């Protein structure tokens, strides 16, 4: 599963695995792919440093990358978190309290801080993450919300780091190319997390044509080797997989109930909702997302206000495993995630599926693949 891009990065398989869990990212890299660690949950630079130290010790000298979040448009700028918190309307805070009370969600213990914060969506936090990351031999910096600022791209290039950005349309992809991005991740509607309105099968060839000769990664709804082969056939130089790793044994969801919900979910059990961050993000459909998407409710606030508003609520829901409200960002590929397996087992399945697809196409074309 080698492509020009995978050879450039020094990886055996053109599989790019995004995950918030260091153990998963390292396992992806060790398996011959390219692990990309999501940095959004690291609000303290020392925590990111600790986990990058761990990655260095557990990737066998193989390459890996980092994914940060820098919003293309800022709802607020130049002020601190406390000032941003003060901008949240009282009615929205009451809505959160009422929704939690309806489902009898216990309070956190006195003095217990929220374990889940969304401050990583703020640019100043992402910049502090980069101050740490560039001290490590990362090979790729990805930005989940478009092109990072020009000075960040220049800084990455000065460190010999390639820069990738996710795009949900050919228009966005062209902007990335003009900004100096090295790799475009064409993320279709099926993907988990922040995503646009165009399906992967339509989006990938549009972006490949729009930004040629820049390399493109296919993303969104990909969870099998056959789908990876389809992405490469559409012109991509690799596949970007995120959701698939959530039910691996190396993942650290810290909630058995959430793992069980993912394993039981079908491909129709997700929804694009602003409930978590303020931007449309595909996630498990729950009574929490239903409440925020209800037209009679107050509606979600813009990023980063929504994330700050619901941070404690999400922590309480997760801690007490309140099943009707318990969810996570995940793509439509969740319908294939019906058993827990190690990352290596997932990789073995992906490579075998890719080989099956190639053999099938060769038979259709009347060719026999060389052994």
């Amino acid at each position: 599963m080698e492509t020009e891009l995978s050879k450039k990065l020094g990886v055996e398989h053109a599989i790019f695995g995004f995950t918030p869990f260091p153990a998963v990212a390292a396992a992806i890299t060790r398996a011959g792919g390219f692990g990309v660690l999501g940095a959004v949950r690291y609000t303290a630079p020392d925590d990111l440093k600790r986990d990058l130290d761990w990655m260095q010790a557990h990737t066998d000298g193989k390459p890996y990358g980092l994914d940060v979040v820098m919003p293309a448009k800022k709802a607020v700028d130049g002020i601190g978190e406390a000032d941003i918190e003060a901008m949240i309307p009282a009615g929205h805070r009451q809505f959160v309290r009422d929704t939690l009370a309806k489902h009898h969600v216990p309070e956190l213990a006195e003095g217990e801080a929220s374990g889940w914060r969304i401050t990583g969506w703020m640019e100043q936090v992402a910049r502090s993450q980069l101050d740490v990351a560039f001290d490590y031999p990362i090979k790729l910096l990805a930005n989940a919300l478009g092109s990072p600022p020009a000075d960040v791209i220049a800084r990455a290039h000065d460190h010999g780091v390639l820069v990738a950005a996710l795009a949900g349309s050919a228009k966005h992809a062209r902007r990335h190319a003009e900004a100096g991005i090295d790799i475009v991740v064409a993320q279709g509607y099926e993907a988990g997390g922040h995503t646009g309105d165009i399906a992967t099968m339509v989006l990938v060839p549009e972006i490949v044509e729009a930004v040629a000769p820049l390399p493109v990664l296919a993303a969104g709804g990909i969870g099998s080797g056959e789908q990876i082969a389809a992405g490469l056939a559409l012109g991509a130089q690799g596949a970007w997989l995120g959701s698939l790793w959530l039910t691996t044994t190396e993942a650290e969801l810290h909630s058995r109930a959430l793992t069980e919900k993912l394993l039981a979910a079908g491909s129709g059990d997700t929804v694009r909702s602003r409930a978590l961050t303020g931007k449309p993000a595909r996630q498990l459909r729950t009574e929490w997302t239903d409440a925020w998407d209800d037209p009679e409710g107050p509606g979600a606030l813009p990023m980063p206000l929504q994330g700050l508003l619901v941070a404690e609520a999400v922590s309480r829901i997760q801690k007490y495993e309140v099943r009707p409200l318990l969810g996570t960002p995940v793509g439509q590929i969740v319908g294939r995630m019906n058993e827990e397996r190690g990352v290596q087992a997932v990789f073995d399945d992906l490579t075998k599926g890719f080989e099956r697809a190639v053999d099938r196409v060769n038979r259709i074309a009347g060719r026999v693949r060389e052994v």
Side-chain angles (χ1 to χ4, degrees), residues 354-356 358-360 362-363 367-371:
F354 181 84
E355 291 172 356
R356 286 194 300 269
V358 172
D359 288 343
R360 185 180 300 121
N362 280 328
R363 287 196 303 270
R367 294 190 299 265
V368 178
R369 188 164 62 96
E370 294 183 5
V371 178

Side-chain angles (χ1 to χ4, degrees), residues 45 76 85 95 135 152 186 197-198 212 282 291 319 359:
V76 290
E85 290 263 17
F95 181 76
D135 287 336
V152 172
D197 301 309
I198 305 173
R282 186 172 298 284
K319 177 178 180 178
D359 288 343

Side-chain angles (χ1 to χ4, degrees), residues 96-108:
V96 170
R97 288 192 290 268
D98 291 344
T99 304
L100 296 178
K102 176 182 177 181
H103 292 274
H104 310 290
V105 182
E107 297 276 354
L108 295 176

Side-chain angles (χ1 to χ4, degrees), residues 24-47:
V24 177
I28 291 168
T29 286
R30 291 197 307 271
F34 190 95
V36 181
L37 178 64
V40 69
R41 66 191 181 102
Y42 295 100
T43 56
D46 286 346
D47 291 340

